mmCIF file of all heavy atoms in Angstrom:
data_model
loop_
_atom_site.group_PDB
_atom_site.id
_atom_site.type_symbol
_atom_site.label_atom_id
_atom_site.label_comp_id
_atom_site.label_asym_id
_atom_site.label_seq_id
_atom_site.Cartn_x
_atom_site.Cartn_y
_atom_site.Cartn_z
ATOM 1 N N SER A 376 -26.704 -78.422 8.223
ATOM 2 C CA SER A 376 -25.392 -78.776 8.750
ATOM 3 C C SER A 376 -25.295 -78.510 10.245
ATOM 4 O O SER A 376 -25.908 -77.596 10.771
ATOM 5 C CB SER A 376 -24.311 -77.977 8.037
ATOM 6 O OG SER A 376 -24.391 -78.167 6.644
ATOM 7 N N ILE A 377 -24.496 -79.316 10.900
ATOM 8 C CA ILE A 377 -24.184 -79.072 12.305
ATOM 9 C C ILE A 377 -23.136 -77.977 12.360
ATOM 10 O O ILE A 377 -22.187 -77.948 11.584
ATOM 11 C CB ILE A 377 -23.650 -80.359 12.968
ATOM 12 C CG1 ILE A 377 -24.716 -81.460 12.866
ATOM 13 C CG2 ILE A 377 -23.256 -80.106 14.409
ATOM 14 C CD1 ILE A 377 -24.246 -82.801 13.345
ATOM 15 N N ASN A 378 -23.296 -77.058 13.288
ATOM 16 C CA ASN A 378 -22.459 -75.855 13.328
ATOM 17 C C ASN A 378 -20.967 -76.183 13.359
ATOM 18 O O ASN A 378 -20.173 -75.546 12.680
ATOM 19 C CB ASN A 378 -22.829 -75.026 14.553
ATOM 20 C CG ASN A 378 -22.821 -73.542 14.244
ATOM 21 O OD1 ASN A 378 -22.786 -73.153 13.089
ATOM 22 N ND2 ASN A 378 -22.854 -72.729 15.276
ATOM 23 N N VAL A 379 -20.557 -77.175 14.123
ATOM 24 C CA VAL A 379 -19.146 -77.515 14.243
ATOM 25 C C VAL A 379 -18.603 -77.968 12.897
ATOM 26 O O VAL A 379 -17.498 -77.593 12.487
ATOM 27 C CB VAL A 379 -18.935 -78.609 15.309
ATOM 28 C CG1 VAL A 379 -17.473 -79.048 15.325
ATOM 29 C CG2 VAL A 379 -19.349 -78.104 16.674
ATOM 30 N N ASP A 380 -19.380 -78.784 12.174
ATOM 31 C CA ASP A 380 -18.932 -79.278 10.876
ATOM 32 C C ASP A 380 -18.762 -78.135 9.882
ATOM 33 O O ASP A 380 -17.821 -78.110 9.090
ATOM 34 C CB ASP A 380 -19.934 -80.288 10.311
ATOM 35 C CG ASP A 380 -19.938 -81.580 11.118
ATOM 36 O OD1 ASP A 380 -18.932 -81.828 11.811
ATOM 37 O OD2 ASP A 380 -20.936 -82.317 11.050
ATOM 38 N N VAL A 381 -19.655 -77.176 9.919
ATOM 39 C CA VAL A 381 -19.558 -76.031 9.019
ATOM 40 C C VAL A 381 -18.318 -75.219 9.341
ATOM 41 O O VAL A 381 -17.591 -74.783 8.454
ATOM 42 C CB VAL A 381 -20.823 -75.151 9.124
ATOM 43 C CG1 VAL A 381 -20.694 -73.927 8.241
ATOM 44 C CG2 VAL A 381 -22.052 -75.946 8.722
ATOM 45 N N GLU A 382 -18.072 -75.011 10.635
ATOM 46 C CA GLU A 382 -16.896 -74.253 11.046
ATOM 47 C C GLU A 382 -15.624 -74.933 10.550
ATOM 48 O O GLU A 382 -14.727 -74.280 9.999
ATOM 49 C CB GLU A 382 -16.852 -74.121 12.567
ATOM 50 C CG GLU A 382 -15.668 -73.343 13.099
ATOM 51 C CD GLU A 382 -15.709 -71.886 12.703
ATOM 52 O OE1 GLU A 382 -16.808 -71.358 12.441
ATOM 53 O OE2 GLU A 382 -14.626 -71.278 12.639
ATOM 54 N N ASN A 383 -15.545 -76.247 10.689
ATOM 55 C CA ASN A 383 -14.380 -76.977 10.209
ATOM 56 C C ASN A 383 -14.221 -76.838 8.700
ATOM 57 O O ASN A 383 -13.111 -76.767 8.178
ATOM 58 C CB ASN A 383 -14.489 -78.461 10.585
ATOM 59 C CG ASN A 383 -14.342 -78.668 12.074
ATOM 60 O OD1 ASN A 383 -13.770 -77.828 12.773
ATOM 61 N ND2 ASN A 383 -14.858 -79.775 12.575
ATOM 62 N N HIS A 384 -15.360 -76.816 7.999
ATOM 63 C CA HIS A 384 -15.356 -76.695 6.544
ATOM 64 C C HIS A 384 -14.678 -75.388 6.121
ATOM 65 O O HIS A 384 -13.854 -75.371 5.204
ATOM 66 C CB HIS A 384 -16.789 -76.731 6.022
ATOM 67 C CG HIS A 384 -16.913 -76.420 4.565
ATOM 68 N ND1 HIS A 384 -16.713 -77.361 3.589
ATOM 69 C CD2 HIS A 384 -17.193 -75.260 3.934
ATOM 70 C CE1 HIS A 384 -16.875 -76.799 2.413
ATOM 71 N NE2 HIS A 384 -17.171 -75.521 2.589
ATOM 72 N N TYR A 385 -14.975 -74.296 6.803
ATOM 73 C CA TYR A 385 -14.377 -73.021 6.457
ATOM 74 C C TYR A 385 -12.942 -72.911 6.946
ATOM 75 O O TYR A 385 -12.097 -72.312 6.290
ATOM 76 C CB TYR A 385 -15.220 -71.865 7.022
ATOM 77 C CG TYR A 385 -16.495 -71.665 6.258
ATOM 78 C CD1 TYR A 385 -17.695 -72.186 6.721
ATOM 79 C CD2 TYR A 385 -16.488 -70.970 5.059
ATOM 80 C CE1 TYR A 385 -18.871 -72.019 6.006
ATOM 81 C CE2 TYR A 385 -17.656 -70.802 4.335
ATOM 82 C CZ TYR A 385 -18.848 -71.318 4.820
ATOM 83 O OH TYR A 385 -20.001 -71.158 4.103
ATOM 84 N N GLN A 386 -12.670 -73.497 8.098
ATOM 85 C CA GLN A 386 -11.324 -73.388 8.666
ATOM 86 C C GLN A 386 -10.278 -74.014 7.751
ATOM 87 O O GLN A 386 -9.132 -73.567 7.716
ATOM 88 C CB GLN A 386 -11.273 -74.067 10.042
ATOM 89 C CG GLN A 386 -12.040 -73.335 11.123
ATOM 90 C CD GLN A 386 -11.457 -71.964 11.417
ATOM 91 O OE1 GLN A 386 -10.268 -71.757 11.254
ATOM 92 N NE2 GLN A 386 -12.301 -71.046 11.838
ATOM 93 N N LYS A 387 -10.640 -75.033 6.981
ATOM 94 C CA LYS A 387 -9.644 -75.708 6.151
ATOM 95 C C LYS A 387 -9.119 -74.812 5.042
ATOM 96 O O LYS A 387 -8.071 -75.078 4.460
ATOM 97 C CB LYS A 387 -10.217 -76.990 5.560
ATOM 98 C CG LYS A 387 -11.161 -76.795 4.385
ATOM 99 C CD LYS A 387 -11.590 -78.135 3.801
ATOM 100 C CE LYS A 387 -12.487 -77.943 2.586
ATOM 101 N NZ LYS A 387 -12.867 -79.228 1.981
ATOM 102 N N TYR A 388 -9.861 -73.731 4.749
ATOM 103 C CA TYR A 388 -9.418 -72.818 3.703
ATOM 104 C C TYR A 388 -8.615 -71.644 4.236
ATOM 105 O O TYR A 388 -8.146 -70.820 3.471
ATOM 106 C CB TYR A 388 -10.618 -72.289 2.910
ATOM 107 C CG TYR A 388 -11.233 -73.358 2.038
ATOM 108 C CD1 TYR A 388 -12.448 -73.923 2.370
ATOM 109 C CD2 TYR A 388 -10.579 -73.796 0.897
ATOM 110 C CE1 TYR A 388 -13.007 -74.912 1.585
ATOM 111 C CE2 TYR A 388 -11.123 -74.780 0.099
ATOM 112 C CZ TYR A 388 -12.347 -75.331 0.443
ATOM 113 O OH TYR A 388 -12.894 -76.306 -0.337
ATOM 114 N N LYS A 389 -8.464 -71.546 5.569
ATOM 115 C CA LYS A 389 -7.650 -70.466 6.113
ATOM 116 C C LYS A 389 -6.182 -70.692 5.754
ATOM 117 O O LYS A 389 -5.691 -71.819 5.768
ATOM 118 C CB LYS A 389 -7.803 -70.396 7.633
ATOM 119 C CG LYS A 389 -9.087 -69.723 8.080
ATOM 120 C CD LYS A 389 -8.986 -69.331 9.527
ATOM 121 C CE LYS A 389 -10.204 -68.539 9.973
ATOM 122 N NZ LYS A 389 -10.076 -68.060 11.351
ATOM 123 N N LEU A 390 -5.489 -69.614 5.456
ATOM 124 C CA LEU A 390 -4.083 -69.730 5.120
ATOM 125 C C LEU A 390 -3.245 -69.933 6.376
ATOM 126 O O LEU A 390 -3.526 -69.378 7.421
ATOM 127 C CB LEU A 390 -3.600 -68.465 4.420
ATOM 128 C CG LEU A 390 -4.254 -68.151 3.084
ATOM 129 C CD1 LEU A 390 -3.595 -66.915 2.503
ATOM 130 C CD2 LEU A 390 -4.115 -69.308 2.132
ATOM 131 N N ASN A 391 -2.211 -70.727 6.229
ATOM 132 C CA ASN A 391 -1.255 -70.889 7.304
ATOM 133 C C ASN A 391 -0.509 -69.578 7.517
ATOM 134 O O ASN A 391 -0.157 -68.889 6.568
ATOM 135 C CB ASN A 391 -0.260 -71.997 6.925
ATOM 136 C CG ASN A 391 0.638 -72.365 8.087
ATOM 137 O OD1 ASN A 391 1.422 -71.545 8.548
ATOM 138 N ND2 ASN A 391 0.528 -73.600 8.537
ATOM 139 N N GLU A 392 -0.259 -69.203 8.766
ATOM 140 C CA GLU A 392 0.387 -67.933 9.062
ATOM 141 C C GLU A 392 1.780 -67.839 8.439
ATOM 142 O O GLU A 392 2.306 -66.764 8.206
ATOM 143 C CB GLU A 392 0.496 -67.725 10.579
ATOM 144 C CG GLU A 392 -0.836 -67.400 11.229
ATOM 145 C CD GLU A 392 -1.413 -66.087 10.709
ATOM 146 O OE1 GLU A 392 -0.636 -65.163 10.415
ATOM 147 O OE2 GLU A 392 -2.638 -66.004 10.589
ATOM 148 N N LYS A 393 2.410 -68.989 8.150
ATOM 149 C CA LYS A 393 3.745 -68.971 7.567
ATOM 150 C C LYS A 393 3.694 -68.638 6.080
ATOM 151 O O LYS A 393 4.698 -68.264 5.477
ATOM 152 C CB LYS A 393 4.420 -70.333 7.766
ATOM 153 C CG LYS A 393 4.703 -70.677 9.221
ATOM 154 C CD LYS A 393 5.380 -72.023 9.328
ATOM 155 C CE LYS A 393 5.644 -72.386 10.788
ATOM 156 N NZ LYS A 393 6.296 -73.707 10.920
ATOM 157 N N ASN A 394 2.545 -68.805 5.472
ATOM 158 C CA ASN A 394 2.417 -68.506 4.047
ATOM 159 C C ASN A 394 2.334 -67.007 3.822
ATOM 160 O O ASN A 394 1.891 -66.255 4.668
ATOM 161 C CB ASN A 394 1.152 -69.155 3.465
ATOM 162 C CG ASN A 394 1.274 -70.663 3.421
ATOM 163 O OD1 ASN A 394 2.369 -71.199 3.443
ATOM 164 N ND2 ASN A 394 0.141 -71.334 3.356
#
Side-chain angles (χ1 to χ4, degrees):
S376 304
I377 300 174
N378 219 13
V379 175
D380 291 339
V381 177
E382 180 66 25
N383 291 338
H384 172 83
Y385 286 99
Q386 290 296 331
K387 77 176 182 178
Y388 289 107
K389 282 197 175 184
L390 297 183
N391 189 296
E392 287 297 326
K393 294 181 181 179
N394 291 339

